[in-house]
Amino acid sequence: MPLLEDPARLSKSRLKSDLLAHNVALPPANSRKDVYVELHLKHIEQKDAAEFSSDEEDRGQDEAEDEVVDGDDPGGRDPSALTDDGLKAALIQHGVKVGPIVASTRAVYEKKLRKLLESGGHDEQVNGEEGNAVLYSDSEDEEGSKGAKGEGDEHSEHSQQDMSQNNNFAYPQCFILSSKLRAPASETRKPCPAKNPKNALKSSERGPCHCSRIPAGISRASSVNQRSGLGSRVPNGLQPAKSIGCSSGSSQAFSITQMVEEMESRRSVSDTESNGSDVQELRSQPSRLLTVDQPAVKNQTLFYTPEAFPVKPGPKPPVEPVNGVSKDIFPAQASPTGIYATRRRPIKGAAGRPVQYVFPDTPSSPATLERREAERRLVPIHIQILVFLIVVILLYLVYVVVEDSSLDSAMSLLDSPNQASDVEEFHAPEAPAFSEQE
Amino acid sequence: MSSTSQKHKDFVAEPMGEKPVNALAGIGEVLGKRLEEKGFDKAYVVLGQFLVLKKDEELFRDWLKDTCGANVKQQGDCFGCLKEWCDAFL
């Protein structure tokens, strides 16, 4: 492979064959060499950067003349290696609306797919590692103190149920809100046997119990949320081992064996659900490209085997339900882009605050405000009436006084205007006279 | 877009006919030259790309950026102008 060669030095025919080997749509026949070089750089160099297996490339070169690479496994390969149809299928699996993939649009779509793959892969990696650090101690503490024994079966059942609901994106959205509303009331209750919010999903009567946990551990729950969401989906993916790795965050909270059982049963269920499994499959694909990182994830998961933690009694996947909320809020964006990291924060901030503050605020809106204003007015009205009465009495007194001396005062009042008018009449003729004199 | 440029109005006002590529809003001399080098010499060629990308804003913006290095505002202007033209004349 001319991996290390400068494409600009290759001959045009060599470039052409390389492009064909990588199944890149060739530019028009009369294109300049620059076009080929550019395509070569764009497609083949990027493919190398993605650490494509050398086997694949060798084979591709052997089969240079016939475009053999078919879209049987779209998304698992570098976008530039796909055929137009494969690329289209991969994009559709990511939930992208695809137009015609032709020479001029292919680059755009490849870039898009690559972006999707990268963001998806990055997401998984980050989540898997984050989960190990954050969730592990928390969940173990809870389990140690609470020891919700005997609910194991129930929990696994519910968690399974939850996960399947997550897959369908049919999560009840109001859960978190209602739980938060109830949280203050239920905080005085006995510590709930099942602290993990995951169980809260299943029934409303258990809601308050779990909800009381949520306000306290909301930040933890939401931080874990994103990773566990991945975990719940990946199990349906292509590689079971990988899926364990991704879901290690949640699986650490309970025994892995049960997790595996869940996964298996879920896989059987969701193989029929093309929507869910499509997404899951795609989510696991980027990880295959990142071959270097994957072993690390696997190692981590191998470390958390049931033998390593034999003490854990009941499976208590801690934070599944919160995860469902995020998916519910953005149900359309099922694509495994890196959006999860940014989504989560708005939920923590925006979903948390309104519930806390709206509730106390609601009583004091319109009706009560009116009432209060009315009340505010009532007290002054008494004073006003008093003042009014006083004024009336004063007026009446004045009236009486005036009536007593009515004749005199009235006459004087009547006289004064007359006098004034007289004076005016007297002076009026004089004015012209003065003006004439002047 | 709250306000549109004169170029935008001019372009959207009539069928594009044989207008050059730099008649598009957001495409000035430099970008027009780059596009012409890539074979997009007429506005209708860019329109063709715009249409074949299914009028998708993100894809078109990406394409424009890759093709001629348009910045965000130029991408937005060009996209808005083609979109509006399509709404009016397609």
Side-chain angles (χ1 to χ4, degrees):
Chain A
M1 267 328 277
L3 295 185
L4 302 175
E5 293 178 27
D6 183 2
R9 288 189 205 151
L10 298 175
S11 70
K12 196 172 169 182
S13 59
R14 175 71 184 276
L15 285 171
K16 207 188 278 186
S17 69
D18 275 347
L19 288 175
L20 273 176
H22 288 79
N23 202 29
V24 177
L26 287 176
N30 54 358
S31 304
R32 279 178 294 176
K33 187 183 171 184
D34 308 5
V35 183
Y36 287 97
V37 170
E38 196 184 26
L39 275 173
H40 191 278
L41 281 172
K42 194 187 289 179
H43 298 295
I44 297 173
E45 297 295 323
Q46 281 176 1
K47 173 186 276 189
D48 294 339
E51 296 185 358
F52 218 62
S53 80
S54 55
D55 295 344
E56 200 90 41
E57 286 184 358
D58 289 341
R59 195 177 48 131
Q61 199 176 15
D62 294 340
E63 300 163 348
E65 284 314 308
D66 44 358
E67 302 179 1
V68 183
V69 191
D70 51 347
D72 57 347
D73 187 14
R77 307 174 178 198
D78 189 82
S80 53
L82 296 170
T83 61
D84 289 350
D85 289 340
L87 183 61
K88 193 169 188 174
L91 281 167
I92 288 172
Q93 278 183 326
H94 280 79
V96 179
K97 287 178 189 169
V98 192
I101 296 185
V102 296
S104 61
T105 59
R106 185 175 169 107
V108 179
Y109 284 118
E110 276 177 6
K111 196 178 169 194
K112 178 144 185 133
L113 180 59
R114 198 169 288 122
K115 217 187 290 171
L116 288 174
L117 290 175
E118 275 172 14
S119 59
H122 180 68
D123 215 23
E124 279 181 38
Q125 290 295 327
V126 167
N127 290 339
E129 286 164 11
E130 179 183 83
N132 293 342
V134 176
L135 178 63
Y136 180 59
S137 59
D138 279 347
S139 58
E140 200 174 46
D141 285 348
E142 286 180 11
E143 287 192 8
S145 59
K146 299 298 169 181
K149 289 162 187 168
E151 292 193 356
D153 294 337
E154 197 181 333
H155 285 280
S156 62
E157 210 176 275
H158 292 308
S159 62
Q160 188 173 334
Q161 188 181 340
D162 295 347
M163 288 182 174
S164 63
Q165 281 182 349
N166 288 344
N167 289 340
N168 296 332
F169 306 107
Y171 208 94
Q173 184 170 1
C174 57
F175 165 66
I176 271 298
L177 297 184
S178 64
S179 70
K180 280 194 158 189
L181 283 174
R182 279 188 238 146
S186 62
E187 262 176 11
T188 57
R189 284 190 174 195
K190 46 137 190 157
C192 21
K195 314 178 57 170
N196 47 344
K198 175 170 195 167
N199 289 328
L201 201 217
K202 61 187 176 186
S203 63
S204 58
E205 74 266 14
R206 292 193 68 166
C209 202
H210 309 297
C211 306
S212 65
R213 297 297 306 173
I214 293 181
I218 186 72
S219 62
R220 174 172 55 85
S222 55
S223 72
V224 168
N225 160 15
Q226 150 190 17
R227 176 197 30 69
S228 59
L230 279 172
S232 69
R233 280 202 251 131
V234 175
N236 291 320
L238 304 174
Q239 300 174 343
K242 175 73 182 94
S243 64
I244 294 173
C246 290
S247 60
S248 60
S250 58
S251 65
Q252 289 156 20
F254 54 99
S255 77
I256 291 233
T257 51
Q258 281 185 346
M259 179 72 181
V260 171
E261 285 173 8
E262 287 175 19
M263 278 161 24
E264 282 172 358
S265 56
R266 238 177 294 130
R267 202 176 305 140
S268 64
V269 168
S270 63
D271 277 347
T272 59
E273 310 166 359
S274 60
N275 289 337
S277 60
D278 279 350
V279 177
Q280 291 146 11
E281 213 173 88
L282 284 171
R283 292 213 71 124
S284 65
Q285 284 161 0
S287 65
R288 292 208 286 162
L289 290 176
L290 305 166
T291 52
V292 177
D293 294 336
Q294 191 172 338
V297 177
K298 275 184 185 171
N299 288 341
Q300 281 178 341
T301 65
L302 287 177
F303 179 69
Y304 293 114
T305 52
E307 290 82 14
F309 303 99
V311 191
K312 291 176 190 168
K316 299 180 77 177
V319 279
E320 288 297 333
V322 187
N323 154 46
V325 174
S326 72
K327 259 186 247 159
D328 223 56
I329 293 176
F330 307 92
Q333 301 175 349
S335 68
T337 57
I339 299 174
Y340 284 98
T342 52
R343 278 184 202 166
R344 187 174 44 149
R345 264 163 221 157
I347 291 166
K348 184 160 51 172
R353 255 171 244 143
V355 179
Q356 285 174 351
Y357 295 124
V358 164
F359 188 57
D361 281 349
T362 37
S364 66
S365 51
T368 49
L369 281 178
E370 274 183 359
R371 226 174 292 141
R372 276 181 205 166
E373 264 187 50
E375 285 173 1
R376 218 176 296 146
R377 264 185 233 134
L378 279 181
V379 180
I381 279 173
H382 286 295
I383 297 170
Q384 280 176 2
I385 289 170
L386 273 176
V387 170
F388 177 67
L389 285 178
I390 290 170
V391 168
V392 166
I393 290 168
L394 276 175
L395 285 175
Y396 179 69
L397 287 175
V398 167
Y399 176 69
V400 169
V401 171
V402 167
E403 268 215 326
D404 285 348
S405 58
S406 59
L407 285 174
D408 299 337
S409 60
M411 285 308 290
S412 63
L413 282 174
L414 284 173
D415 285 347
S416 58
N418 288 341
Q419 286 172 355
S421 59
D422 287 348
V423 171
E424 282 180 7
E425 285 175 6
F426 182 70
H427 284 290
E430 285 183 2
F434 285 126
S435 61
E436 282 180 5
Q437 283 176 359
E438 288 173 5
Chain B
M1 225 175 289
S2 58
S3 65
T4 55
S5 64
Q6 186 60 41
K7 208 170 168 188
H8 177 102
K9 283 179 203 155
D10 290 346
F11 187 84
V12 170
E14 57 191 4
M16 65 177 76
E18 295 286 327
K19 283 183 185 173
V21 68
N22 54 19
L24 285 162
I27 305 295
E29 276 186 32
V30 179
L31 296 189
K33 206 171 212 175
R34 286 186 203 155
L35 280 172
E36 279 174 28
E37 282 172 8
K38 307 241 174 185
F40 295 90
D41 55 342
K42 300 282 188 191
Y44 61 76
V45 188
V46 179
L47 174 70
Q49 180 72 9
F50 172 76
L51 292 178
V52 88
L53 290 172
K54 292 201 158 187
K55 304 184 195 173
D56 184 285
E57 176 158 12
E58 189 194 345
L59 291 174
F60 183 74
R61 279 169 177 271
D62 276 354
W63 171 80
L64 202 60
K65 190 179 164 203
D66 290 346
T67 310
C68 62
N71 66 26
V72 174
K73 185 182 183 305
Q74 291 161 337
Q75 296 163 19
D77 287 347
C78 190
F79 173 80
C81 137
L82 283 173
K83 181 104 174 57
E84 210 160 298
W85 188 93
C86 286
D87 291 344
F89 294 105
L90 269 189

